[in-house]
Amino acid sequence: MSQKQWTAVDRYFSETLVPSDPVLDAALQANTKAGLPAIDVAPNQGKFLQLLVQLRGARRILEIGTLGGYSSIWMARALPADGHLTTLEFSPKHAEVARANIARAGLQKIVEIRVGPALETLANMEKEGTEPFDLIFIDADKPNNPNYLPWALKFSRPGTLLIGDNIVREGEVADPSSTDPNVQGQRRFLELMAAEPRLSATALQTVGSKGYDGFAMALVLG
Protein backbone atom coordinates (compact mmCIF):
# COMPACT_ATOMS: atom_id res chain seq x y z
CA MET A 1 0.00 0.00 0.00
CA SER A 2 1.22 3.50 -0.77
CA GLN A 3 0.20 7.13 -0.70
CA LYS A 4 -0.27 6.94 -4.47
CA GLN A 5 -2.79 4.12 -4.10
CA TRP A 6 -4.61 5.80 -1.19
CA THR A 7 -4.97 8.97 -3.26
CA ALA A 8 -6.23 7.01 -6.26
CA VAL A 9 -8.91 5.30 -4.16
CA ASP A 10 -9.97 8.62 -2.63
CA ARG A 11 -10.21 10.10 -6.13
CA TYR A 12 -12.34 7.15 -7.25
CA PHE A 13 -14.67 7.50 -4.24
CA SER A 14 -15.02 11.24 -4.80
CA GLU A 15 -15.60 10.95 -8.54
CA THR A 16 -18.17 8.18 -8.01
CA LEU A 17 -20.03 9.41 -4.93
CA VAL A 18 -19.18 13.10 -4.53
CA PRO A 19 -19.61 14.86 -7.89
CA SER A 20 -17.54 17.96 -8.56
CA ASP A 21 -19.23 21.06 -7.17
CA PRO A 22 -18.30 24.47 -8.65
CA VAL A 23 -18.78 26.32 -5.36
CA LEU A 24 -16.61 23.92 -3.38
CA ASP A 25 -14.04 23.75 -6.17
CA ALA A 26 -13.90 27.56 -6.21
CA ALA A 27 -13.35 27.59 -2.44
CA LEU A 28 -10.34 25.29 -2.74
CA GLN A 29 -8.97 27.37 -5.61
CA ALA A 30 -9.39 30.57 -3.59
CA ASN A 31 -7.63 28.97 -0.62
CA THR A 32 -4.69 27.98 -2.81
CA LYS A 33 -4.51 31.42 -4.44
CA ALA A 34 -4.46 33.06 -1.00
CA GLY A 35 -1.63 30.81 0.14
CA LEU A 36 -3.60 28.96 2.80
CA PRO A 37 -2.13 25.60 3.86
CA ALA A 38 -3.59 22.68 1.90
CA ILE A 39 -5.07 21.00 4.96
CA ASP A 40 -8.77 21.09 4.10
CA VAL A 41 -10.69 17.86 4.47
CA ALA A 42 -10.91 15.78 1.29
CA PRO A 43 -14.21 15.94 -0.67
CA ASN A 44 -15.33 12.51 0.53
CA GLN A 45 -14.49 13.56 4.11
CA GLY A 46 -16.50 16.74 3.64
CA LYS A 47 -19.43 14.66 2.48
CA PHE A 48 -18.97 12.43 5.54
CA LEU A 49 -19.26 15.48 7.81
CA GLN A 50 -22.35 16.57 5.91
CA LEU A 51 -23.95 13.16 6.39
CA LEU A 52 -23.19 13.28 10.13
CA VAL A 53 -24.99 16.64 10.34
CA GLN A 54 -27.97 15.15 8.54
CA LEU A 55 -27.99 11.96 10.61
CA ARG A 56 -27.84 13.98 13.81
CA GLY A 57 -30.58 16.29 12.54
CA ALA A 58 -28.39 19.17 13.68
CA ARG A 59 -29.69 22.71 13.71
CA ARG A 60 -26.73 24.31 15.47
CA ILE A 61 -23.06 23.56 14.72
CA LEU A 62 -19.86 24.81 16.32
CA GLU A 63 -16.65 24.48 14.32
CA ILE A 64 -13.32 25.23 15.98
CA GLY A 65 -10.90 25.98 13.14
CA THR A 66 -12.28 27.55 9.94
CA LEU A 67 -9.28 27.83 7.60
CA GLY A 68 -10.91 28.82 4.26
CA GLY A 69 -14.40 27.62 5.11
CA TYR A 70 -14.40 24.47 2.98
CA SER A 71 -15.65 22.16 5.74
CA SER A 72 -17.96 24.95 6.95
CA ILE A 73 -19.70 24.94 3.57
CA TRP A 74 -20.10 21.17 3.58
CA MET A 75 -21.72 21.17 7.03
CA ALA A 76 -23.79 24.35 6.63
CA ARG A 77 -25.40 22.99 3.48
CA ALA A 78 -26.96 20.24 5.59
CA LEU A 79 -28.59 22.66 8.01
CA PRO A 80 -32.26 23.70 7.78
CA ALA A 81 -33.08 27.23 6.65
CA ASP A 82 -33.18 28.43 10.26
CA GLY A 83 -30.01 26.56 11.22
CA HIS A 84 -26.78 28.21 12.34
CA LEU A 85 -23.08 27.38 12.16
CA THR A 86 -20.57 29.29 14.29
CA THR A 87 -16.98 28.81 13.18
CA LEU A 88 -13.91 30.09 15.05
CA GLU A 89 -10.73 31.19 13.24
CA PHE A 90 -7.53 32.62 14.71
CA SER A 91 -6.16 34.16 11.51
CA PRO A 92 -7.85 37.30 10.11
CA LYS A 93 -6.44 36.44 6.68
CA HIS A 94 -7.97 32.97 6.74
CA ALA A 95 -11.26 34.39 7.98
CA GLU A 96 -11.34 36.89 5.10
CA VAL A 97 -10.90 34.10 2.56
CA ALA A 98 -13.53 32.01 4.34
CA ARG A 99 -16.05 34.86 4.30
CA ALA A 100 -15.71 35.20 0.54
CA ASN A 101 -16.04 31.44 0.04
CA ILE A 102 -19.10 31.24 2.30
CA ALA A 103 -20.74 34.23 0.58
CA ARG A 104 -20.13 32.62 -2.81
CA ALA A 105 -21.94 29.55 -1.47
CA GLY A 106 -24.88 31.75 -0.41
CA LEU A 107 -24.48 30.72 3.23
CA GLN A 108 -23.53 34.03 4.84
CA LYS A 109 -26.87 34.20 6.70
CA ILE A 110 -26.33 30.76 8.21
CA VAL A 111 -22.58 30.86 8.96
CA GLU A 112 -21.01 33.19 11.51
CA ILE A 113 -17.20 33.53 11.55
CA ARG A 114 -15.69 34.73 14.81
CA VAL A 115 -12.05 35.81 14.64
CA GLY A 116 -9.49 35.55 17.44
CA PRO A 117 -7.92 32.96 19.75
CA ALA A 118 -10.55 30.25 20.08
CA LEU A 119 -10.24 29.91 23.85
CA GLU A 120 -10.95 33.63 24.26
CA THR A 121 -13.85 33.46 21.82
CA LEU A 122 -15.33 30.47 23.64
CA ALA A 123 -15.12 32.33 26.96
CA ASN A 124 -16.89 35.30 25.39
CA MET A 125 -19.57 33.03 23.98
CA GLU A 126 -20.21 31.66 27.47
CA LYS A 127 -20.62 35.21 28.81
CA GLU A 128 -23.07 35.91 26.00
CA GLY A 129 -25.18 32.93 27.03
CA THR A 130 -24.66 31.00 23.80
CA GLU A 131 -27.03 28.05 23.54
CA PRO A 132 -25.77 24.46 23.21
CA PHE A 133 -24.85 22.99 19.84
CA ASP A 134 -25.97 19.72 18.26
CA LEU A 135 -22.62 18.97 16.60
CA ILE A 136 -19.13 20.30 17.39
CA PHE A 137 -16.23 19.82 14.97
CA ILE A 138 -12.79 20.41 16.51
CA ASP A 139 -10.15 20.97 13.83
CA ALA A 140 -7.78 23.70 15.02
CA ASP A 141 -4.38 23.80 16.78
CA LYS A 142 -3.94 20.30 18.17
CA PRO A 143 -1.93 21.19 21.32
CA ASN A 144 -5.04 23.03 22.53
CA ASN A 145 -7.44 20.14 21.94
CA PRO A 146 -7.37 19.21 25.67
CA ASN A 147 -8.47 22.79 26.37
CA TYR A 148 -11.15 22.75 23.68
CA LEU A 149 -12.82 19.60 25.01
CA PRO A 150 -14.10 21.14 28.29
CA TRP A 151 -15.54 24.02 26.29
CA ALA A 152 -17.17 21.59 23.88
CA LEU A 153 -18.83 19.95 26.86
CA LYS A 154 -20.01 23.32 28.17
CA PHE A 155 -21.70 23.98 24.84
CA SER A 156 -23.21 20.49 24.57
CA ARG A 157 -26.39 18.78 25.68
CA PRO A 158 -27.36 15.09 25.69
CA GLY A 159 -27.13 13.89 22.11
CA THR A 160 -24.49 16.40 20.97
CA LEU A 161 -21.92 14.81 18.66
CA LEU A 162 -18.25 15.79 19.08
CA ILE A 163 -15.73 15.17 16.30
CA GLY A 164 -11.98 15.67 16.64
CA ASP A 165 -9.93 15.62 13.43
CA ASN A 166 -6.31 14.62 12.69
CA ILE A 167 -6.00 12.21 15.59
CA VAL A 168 -3.56 9.63 14.22
CA ARG A 169 -0.64 11.90 13.22
CA GLU A 170 0.85 9.32 10.82
CA GLY A 171 0.61 6.72 13.61
CA GLU A 172 2.67 8.70 16.10
CA VAL A 173 -0.31 9.06 18.44
CA ALA A 174 0.48 5.56 19.74
CA ASP A 175 3.96 6.67 20.89
CA PRO A 176 3.82 8.03 24.46
CA SER A 177 7.43 9.25 24.15
CA SER A 178 6.70 11.52 21.19
CA THR A 179 7.94 15.08 21.70
CA ASP A 180 5.59 16.50 19.05
CA PRO A 181 3.16 18.87 20.83
CA ASN A 182 0.48 17.98 18.25
CA VAL A 183 0.77 14.32 19.19
CA GLN A 184 0.81 15.00 22.91
CA GLY A 185 -2.21 17.27 22.52
CA GLN A 186 -4.15 14.56 20.76
CA ARG A 187 -3.12 11.90 23.28
CA ARG A 188 -4.31 14.07 26.16
CA PHE A 189 -7.52 14.84 24.22
CA LEU A 190 -8.25 11.12 23.89
CA GLU A 191 -7.38 10.46 27.54
CA LEU A 192 -9.78 13.18 28.65
CA MET A 193 -12.50 11.74 26.43
CA ALA A 194 -11.96 8.31 27.97
CA ALA A 195 -12.12 9.68 31.52
CA GLU A 196 -15.28 11.73 30.94
CA PRO A 197 -18.36 9.76 32.11
CA ARG A 198 -20.66 11.98 30.04
CA LEU A 199 -19.04 10.77 26.80
CA SER A 200 -19.19 7.56 24.79
CA ALA A 201 -16.21 7.81 22.45
CA THR A 202 -14.19 5.99 19.83
CA ALA A 203 -11.49 6.80 17.26
CA LEU A 204 -10.85 5.49 13.75
CA GLN A 205 -7.77 5.39 11.53
CA THR A 206 -8.09 6.54 7.92
CA VAL A 207 -5.92 6.56 4.82
CA GLY A 208 -6.49 8.65 1.72
CA SER A 209 -5.38 11.69 -0.22
CA LYS A 210 -4.57 13.39 3.10
CA GLY A 211 -2.25 10.56 4.14
CA TYR A 212 -2.48 8.34 7.21
CA ASP A 213 -4.64 9.94 9.87
CA GLY A 214 -8.01 9.55 11.55
CA PHE A 215 -10.64 11.12 13.77
CA ALA A 216 -12.24 10.74 17.18
CA MET A 217 -15.97 10.84 17.75
CA ALA A 218 -17.92 11.09 20.97
CA LEU A 219 -21.60 11.24 21.87
CA VAL A 220 -22.63 13.33 24.86
CA LEU A 221 -24.75 11.12 27.10
CA GLY A 222 -25.82 13.55 29.76
Side-chain angles (χ1 to χ4, degrees):
M1 302 296 289
S2 66
Q3 180 61 58
K4 182 178 179 181
Q5 187 170 12
W6 298 342
T7 300
V9 172
D10 252 9
R11 185 180 301 114
Y12 167 68
F13 285 159
S14 294
E15 290 175 352
T16 304
L17 300 170
V18 189
S20 178
D21 182 294
V23 169
L24 288 164
D25 292 345
L28 291 178
Q29 291 165 8
N31 293 355
T32 300
K33 185 176 180 179
L36 273 59
I39 55 175
D40 307 273
V41 298
N44 51 329
Q45 294 170 337
K47 184 62 175 290
F48 176 70
L49 289 172
Q50 188 179 83
L51 289 171
L52 289 177
V53 173
Q54 292 172 316
L55 287 167
R56 174 59 189 83
R59 304 179 72 86
R60 289 176 50 78
I61 298 171
L62 173 62
E63 178 182 45
I64 303 176
T66 312
L67 193 61
Y70 183 73
S71 55
S72 312
I73 293 170
W74 271 111
M75 292 188 289
R77 281 180 164 181
L79 288 171
D82 61 346
H84 187 80
L85 186 152
T86 299
T87 182
L88 313 185
E89 176 53 48
F90 175 78
S91 166
K93 175 184 175 181
H94 294 178
E96 181 181 357
V97 176
R99 282 195 187 95
N101 287 334
I102 288 164
R104 188 187 302 109
L107 296 167
Q108 63 271 30
K109 292 184 179 180
I110 290 178
V111 179
E112 173 193 14
I113 302 175
R114 301 187 63 150
V115 183
L119 293 174
E120 293 181 13
T121 303
L122 291 163
N124 289 333
M125 289 168 58
E126 183 182 35
K127 293 176 184 175
E128 294 164 9
T130 300
E131 296 180 3
F133 295 90
D134 304 307
L135 185 146
I136 300 175
F137 181 43
I138 303 173
D139 190 18
D141 51 322
K142 311 313 174 190
N144 260 326
N145 268 14
N147 299 319
Y148 294 142
L149 183 60
W151 281 109
L153 287 166
K154 283 179 185 289
F155 290 120
S156 295
R157 56 185 160 217
T160 295
L161 185 62
L162 310 181
I163 306 163
D165 203 10
N166 306 126
I167 288 291
V168 173
R169 315 302 305 180
E170 296 289 338
E172 199 173 348
V173 72
D175 180 7
S177 66
S178 172
T179 58
D180 184 339
N182 294 300
V183 172
Q184 288 300 327
Q186 296 292 46
R187 286 180 61 87
R188 183 60 182 152
F189 180 64
L190 292 170
E191 290 164 2
L192 290 172
M193 275 190 170
E196 176 51 66
R198 289 173 290 173
L199 293 178
S200 177
T202 190
L204 296 176
Q205 303 178 74
T206 62
V207 295
S209 59
K210 298 297 180 179
Y212 173 35
D213 211 332
F215 61 92
M217 181 182 297
L219 183 67
V220 178
L221 303 176

